[in-house]
Amino acid sequence: MELKAKILDIQAGGRRIAILDDETASLLGVHSSDRIRIVYKNQKIIAIVNIASNFPHNQIGLYDEISKILEIKAGQTVEVQPAHIPESLSYVRAKVRGERLRENEIKTIVKDVVERHLSDVELAAFVTALDIYGLSMSEIEALSKAMVVTGETLNFNKSPILDKHSIGGIPGDKTSILIVPIVAAAGFTIPKTSSRAVTSPAGTADRVETLCPVNLTIKEIQEVVKKTNGCMVWGGALDLAPADDLFIQVEYPLGIDPLLLPSIMSKKKAIGATHVAIDIPTGRGAKIKTIGEADTLASDFIELGKRLGMNVQCALTFGEQPLGNAIGPALEAKEALTAIMGNGPADLKEKATIIAGMLFEMVGIEKGKQKAENILKSGKAESKLREIIEVQGGNAKIKPEEIKIGDKKTEVAAKKEGKVLWINNEGIARIAREAGAPKEKGAGVMLKVKLGKYIRKNEVLFEIYAERNTKLEAASKLAKKLQPLEVSRELEEKMLIGRVPTKIIHEKTFAIER
């Protein structure tokens, strides 16, 4: 059937969707969510149908994703035919029934995900089935490999290639800004591609962006790494394991994360990593609550690494409070720069040198942590960081006080005297986001106390920074409601943790970061 193109000038979030009216859809024999093949000149594309009763007859509505691929203008004629149901859908249905999938079946699913042949409903069904039935290690391996081959890869023509990753879950984890220059200063290659925040107040790319550009092309990354041994860039523009971003769009609203392992490891494989240190924050308020859970996850990372040809080691780190004191892109960048210059919080420097030391020992260097500490103390790490900043297009001479933070500020004080017994990671993260982070880079929270600190009544617990008064007021109200720090004179005085049933103050936030 020939139809005239109606260009909608609207994006569909990457999805390939076409709109038909009821009568035209009936004549074609298609229903909503069926596939059609659109042919224009020498171009062919498979699209998913949406049906609108009031849409013009004998026309087809094309979102930007389709019109740009076809390079078509309004009013031009296209040939439209019903398309077969994708083969991958039968494998999705098999997983919904709880069946194990073979490598070629998983590869077919991932290929169709990347080519947008599966609808949102079908993709959601697949991800939900993975969450319910779990994945065997063979399925995880197959998913990881399929996610790599359906995207771009980086080749630096050298070995070893070192990398690190944190599974997230605690605010303020800015260690990459220290680890990358420490490792690069030792002469090793560490091309760090990072995410922006999904549910946290800042991702590594958000932090680094306050120091230098992070939206680099593959060619630009290769140039930066060639000159400096390292980089810190946003991976979202590189098309590395693109299926992962599409899976996350489904995982986030559903509040599930069954693809944690293949998501992380496929991106490490795509950049050519040979040695990877995985940070698993553990404890109350972290994603992973117990040492047992952390051990199991670490074993899975190590096994998957072997199957993908990577040497993987895991650090189980303390996750019961934010790392350092700063939470929010600019505040964290300022703290990281201060730390690499010799000051800054002890816990941040300790964690950074532990993980950098692990990487050193993985490539045969003895006393890795000591070597990492020496590089940090000598100023070599700072020099390397400034070199990376400059080559990526930033100001190599930037000082911590020159990093712009929000000029709107309020303080939250202790209502009584005592020790800080508990810090609610989730609560602190929510307050920072309410203040405007990560979109507004200068927004966030600055902790003035940490666990175990004895404080007096009316002493400041934390400061909230924002770029707008309305955001500051909203964050301040949320802080009063959540009260994310628990203060008491003696542990015995705080025996009641909660009461059930009780009024629900807020829904639990789902944390997913890459």
Side-chain angles (χ1 to χ4, degrees), residues 432-488:
R433 287 183 69 93
E434 193 74 17
K439 187 175 181 181
E440 295 174 5
K441 295 285 193 292
V445 169
M446 177 64 75
L447 293 174
K448 308 304 287 186
V449 297
K450 300 292 285 285
L451 287 176
K453 177 73 184 295
Y454 194 89
I455 58 173
R456 301 193 179 281
K457 185 179 179 180
N458 296 324
E459 189 174 338
V460 177
L461 297 173
F462 59 92
E463 300 165 339
I464 305 172
Y465 290 84
E467 296 181 4
R468 291 184 283 163
N469 283 321
T470 53
K471 288 286 189 180
L472 186 67
E473 289 170 12
S476 182
K477 285 180 182 178
L478 184 61
K480 289 177 183 177
K481 183 188 290 186
L482 298 181
Q483 297 184 21
L485 277 73
E486 182 61 49
V487 177
S488 182

Side-chain angles (χ1 to χ4, degrees), residues 114-136:
V114 172
E115 293 178 357
R116 310 306 203 277
H117 291 172
L118 292 178
S119 69
D120 290 349
V121 172
E122 292 154 356
L123 192 53
F126 178 63
V127 172
T128 303
L130 296 182
D131 191 64
I132 293 170
Y133 297 111
L135 296 99
S136 68

Side-chain angles (χ1 to χ4, degrees), residues 294-337:
D295 277 335
T296 300
L297 181 60
S299 297
D300 288 342
F301 268 117
I302 292 165
E303 173 62 23
L304 181 57
K306 288 177 182 176
R307 292 177 179 230
L308 297 176
M310 291 184 283
N311 183 346
V312 176
Q313 289 189 15
C314 299
L316 313 189
T317 57
F318 184 74
E320 298 198 354
Q321 63 179 341
L323 186 65
N325 299 309
I327 297 98
L331 289 166
E332 292 187 46
K334 181 177 180 179
E335 186 169 79
L337 186 57

Side-chain angles (χ1 to χ4, degrees), residues 6-12 61-65 67-68 72-74:
K6 183 177 176 63
I7 309 302
L8 301 176
D9 288 325
I10 302 172
Q11 292 185 352
L62 304 179
Y63 285 85
D64 283 358
E65 286 82 353
S67 61
K68 287 179 180 176
I72 191 170
K73 295 180 180 178

Side-chain angles (χ1 to χ4, degrees), residues 176-186 232 340 375 381 384-385 388:
S176 292
I177 300 178
L178 279 71
I179 293 168
V180 170
I182 289 173
V183 172
M232 291 178 286
I340 210 165
I375 291 172
K384 180 57 70 173
L385 174 62
I388 292 170

